[in-house]
Amino acid sequence: MAESEEKVELLENIEEVMEGLAKELQELYAFRDLFFENHPLELATEKNKLVEEKKNVLVDKFEAIDVDRQVPFLLRGQFLYLKGRCYNISTTYDSRASQCLSKAVKLNPNLGSAWNELGECYWKNMNVKEAKASFEGALKHERNRISLRCLSIILRQESGGKKRSEAANMILKSVDLAKEAVAQDIKDGVSWGVLGNAYLCQFFTVAQDPATLKLCMSAYKQAGTDPVVKGQPDLYYNKGIALKYEENYQEALENFDYACRLDPPWQPPRTELAKLASYLAATNELVRTRGKLKSKRLTQLMQTLDKKMLGAYSPGTFHNLGGRRDVTLELCRLDTLVEGVNEGKVVLGKVVGSIHNENAVPFTFAIVDESLECICVTVYNWADGRGAIIGDCIAIPEPVLKTHKLESPLATYNFKSVRLNSPLLLLVNGKRVGRNQFASTKVTSTYEIH
């Protein structure tokens, strides 16, 4: 009887200890996830060190307990899960975490939270295959938002290098998984962020429907209402990518900059910020100097600007643009274009220079017409190695004009541009761009598993 009472007392004691450890672990994750809710941005460089210090204090408490001797068999899986989760709070892979979590799921295969934690641990170690198996293992026991959104991310990563149709199907499945994750808890901003990234990939890979990009930005907005996500740099990095594609350059720069401030050692947003600032400076210079062409060369180009190059867009002919009713086009000068859509108009200009863009997206060049007004033209989905060269005659129907202007420490620019989502509407030297020159845009976003 005395031995039985001693076992009950031991069980009650260890349960009490585990409750205390679980509470401290929850506080540790809250310290990390809500760091910028309680600390200034200036402490960003210290964040990981402060988290590690608190982690080490809690690790000592976990390691002071002999699992085999002090923790009853029925509680060992849960204990090892908590211990593994403590190790796994670090931004980098900790082999002690995978050891604890692997034992935890063997002892208690129904512990879905341990499967998810193990999946995140494998992901940190770039072991995608085992990560996927772990998240799928968790789903066998319960449909849960963490497994769903992590599998959404993995599907998108696996779609790289696949044939277009197969990749598109994988991306759509990724969107569905992210939607299901959001439906599990509509207040979880991490799931909203993953859904936003899934929509962004859908926009580029499946179909460039502006409605999809709108859904993407809406998901990012929802994600930003969650205090946990507000402090995560990848939200601002991925949002910056989307804004850059929207040609909302100022906000893109600001989002990349904020991502840098949240995580100073993290290179991707710093790289994107530098590349975008460089691109904008080069574009601004190209337009301002009209491609640095000398007056004589510019005069020669204007003398060869032949209205015959309007080809199919010549006045008096009818065109079905974008599936709308047939329209006739009127030639107008670049200096008479208005902000926004210029319905029923067509412009004709000579290429005076182009920008070398590392990503080849968009293909950027500048045109000048007889008014000597110079504007930038950005063309998306133009196959790599294709494009326009100096002296080419370009006709653009119903141009959509946008003015880009900013003066800040991030960048300074002031130029006008016309954007085309496809090269197929262009006429180059009087001829349509062939369908063989159409290519899908690729998008780069970061991993999102937290």
Side-chain angles (χ1 to χ4, degrees), residues 178-386:
K179 281 182 181 176
E180 189 181 347
V182 166
Q184 295 262 338
D185 181 358
I186 60 169
K187 291 184 179 179
D188 188 329
V190 177
S191 297
W192 277 111
V194 171
L195 179 58
N197 295 338
Y199 277 135
L200 186 60
C201 286
Q202 180 185 337
F203 180 79
F204 287 110
T205 309
V206 182
Q208 293 186 2
D209 182 350
T212 305
L213 199 57
K214 194 173 179 182
L215 288 169
C216 166
M217 298 306 292
S218 176
Y220 286 148
K221 186 178 180 181
Q222 288 289 339
T225 63
D226 185 337
V228 171
V229 180
K230 271 170 66 180
Q232 292 178 348
D234 53 322
L235 170 68
Y236 303 95
Y237 172 77
N238 289 322
K239 192 176 172 186
I241 296 286
L243 288 162
K244 180 179 76 168
Y245 187 82
E246 278 193 319
E247 296 189 359
N248 189 336
Y249 297 128
Q250 181 176 344
E251 283 192 46
L253 290 164
E254 289 167 355
N255 274 269
F256 289 141
D257 179 58
Y258 196 61
C260 292
R261 292 166 68 195
L262 285 171
D263 190 355
W266 191 37
Q267 280 304 310
R270 200 169 299 283
T271 301
E272 283 293 336
L273 180 61
K275 278 162 57 177
L276 181 55
S278 175
Y279 168 78
L280 290 166
T283 304
N284 187 72
E285 185 69 3
L286 175 67
V287 172
R288 186 184 68 81
T289 63
R290 300 188 185 94
K292 294 184 179 177
L293 294 186
K294 293 180 179 178
S295 299
K296 185 178 179 182
R297 174 71 169 131
L298 203 55
T299 302
Q300 288 174 342
L301 281 180
M302 292 306 99
Q303 286 172 347
T304 59
L305 190 61
D306 191 344
K307 291 180 183 177
K308 288 179 183 176
M309 293 300 176
L310 284 170
Y313 294 144
S314 296
T317 55
F318 286 87
H319 312 277
N320 188 278
L321 300 172
R324 298 186 293 107
R325 63 179 177 79
D326 287 350
V327 295
T328 56
L329 298 171
E330 176 193 350
L331 178 63
C332 71
R333 296 185 354 166
L334 293 175
D335 62 349
T336 63
L337 291 178
V338 296
E339 194 81 5
V341 183
N342 288 264
E343 288 191 1
K345 306 292 185 184
V346 62
V347 292
L348 186 68
K350 284 278 187 175
V351 177
V352 293
S354 60
I355 300 289
H356 172 70
N357 190 350
E358 193 177 307
N359 293 337
V361 179
F363 184 82
T364 305
F365 59 96
I367 60 171
V368 173
D369 71 358
E370 58 190 15
S371 69
L372 295 186
E373 177 87 355
C374 186
I375 65 166
C376 163
V377 180
T378 54
V379 185
Y380 293 78
N381 294 311
W382 213 340
D384 197 15
R386 306 286 186 163

Side-chain angles (χ1 to χ4, degrees), residues 150-170:
C150 290
L151 285 170
S152 169
I153 296 164
I154 288 173
L155 257 182
R156 272 180 277 130
Q157 188 184 70
E158 289 180 333
S159 70
K162 302 284 185 184
K163 289 182 180 178
R164 182 172 172 77
S165 59
E166 188 181 353
N169 287 333
M170 292 173 79

Side-chain angles (χ1 to χ4, degrees), residues 415-435:
F415 62 89
K416 293 177 181 178
S417 78
V418 167
R419 170 192 177 130
L420 290 117
N421 287 329
S422 164
L424 302 182
L425 284 174
L426 279 179
L427 292 187
V428 180
N429 299 323
K431 297 177 181 177
R432 286 193 185 277
V433 172
R435 288 193 174 274

